[in-house]
Amino acid sequence: MKGFIKHSAAVALFGAGLLAVIGCDCYRSIVDPCWPERYNSIARKSVRDMANAQADKGHILEQTVWNWHWEADPKTGAASDRLNPAGMAVLQRISRTLPCPDFQLYLQNAQDIPYVEGVPPEKLVRSRNELNDRRAAAIQRFMATQAALHGGGNFQVAVHDFAPTSLPAYWPTTGEDRILMNVKNLIPQNFIQPPVNK
């Protein structure tokens, strides 16, 4: 035990002097002084980025006018640039969004112009682009009437070709004339209640 206090004091003074000369840089290069907050922040950001990307894609799909929102030409059956009542209802809903509508609208690429074997691809692409332009102009004309009540607004229309996330109303049909099937055939039998005898 003799000299223990002297040796301890010498080691403590030497360590303090060495720490004063070297500083905390050596310690900071060995350990991460921001642990765990640095990694928690990265993890939070990765989850938020994924959620924000999903929300952004969902908003784009919510603001889209799809191919089934347009009437077909009654004489030829070809795709047209006239909105049907469902398309008008979608645009009316968008124009009434609170606190204010989003002025960026989207239009599905005119996939209702079918591919025909033997027709040059350039002609099909040109026909789709021309129909897209006419449809975008029709959307802007319709939205100009809807936004007049709210002080107007310059709606922009961009074309995309995302896949629809739901089934349009005319898909559960029979034949080329798209006559709706009996609704009972679409509902599982256990959801149909038997008639009540009076």
Side-chain angles (χ1 to χ4, degrees):
M1 279 308 269
K2 250 184 181 175
F4 176 74
I5 295 176
K6 286 184 186 178
H7 290 310
S8 298
V11 167
L13 285 175
F14 177 74
L18 187 62
L19 185 61
V21 171
I22 296 175
C24 295
D25 289 337
C26 182
Y27 171 76
R28 289 178 185 273
S29 65
I30 296 172
V31 300
D32 185 0
C34 295
W35 185 87
E37 185 53 38
R38 179 194 321 259
Y39 307 101
N40 291 345
S41 174
I42 293 170
R44 278 193 301 271
K45 184 177 183 308
S46 68
V47 171
R48 287 179 183 151
D49 287 348
M50 181 184 66
N52 289 340
Q54 289 176 339
D56 184 52
K57 178 73 177 287
H59 182 66
I60 290 172
L61 297 177
E62 183 73 14
Q63 296 279 113
T64 296
V65 179
W66 300 95
N67 286 336
W68 56 85
H69 290 143
W70 302 95
E71 290 182 358
D73 189 313
K75 295 177 184 173
T76 63
S80 75
D81 59 348
R82 288 187 310 277
L83 284 163
N84 64 22
M88 291 181 199
V90 166
L91 291 174
Q92 287 170 348
R93 177 189 51 78
I94 291 172
S95 70
R96 294 177 181 146
T97 303
L98 294 176
C100 69
D102 183 356
F103 293 106
Q104 179 62 59
L105 301 177
Y106 298 90
L107 173 66
Q108 182 186 13
N109 187 31
Q111 293 291 350
D112 45 354
I113 297 180
Y115 170 76
V116 178
E117 188 67 39
V119 174
E122 300 82 22
K123 184 176 180 185
L124 177 64
V125 170
R126 187 171 51 252
S127 298
R128 285 182 176 168
N129 289 340
E130 289 170 0
L131 183 57
N132 288 337
D133 293 341
R134 291 197 316 268
R135 286 179 172 178
I139 290 171
Q140 289 175 331
R141 283 192 307 271
F142 183 83
M143 292 306 278
T145 65
Q146 295 301 307
L149 181 65
H150 310 293
N154 187 15
F155 285 89
Q156 302 298 316
V157 181
V159 178
H160 71 68
D161 202 17
F162 296 141
T165 57
S166 60
L167 296 177
Y170 63 74
W171 281 11
T173 62
T174 59
E176 290 297 319
D177 55 354
R178 296 181 176 168
I179 299 171
L180 286 176
M181 293 167 50
N182 186 350
V183 176
K184 284 186 176 180
N185 295 335
L186 300 176
I187 301 173
Q189 292 300 314
N190 57 349
F191 289 120
I192 300 176
Q193 296 185 1
V196 177
N197 294 330
K198 291 185 179 180

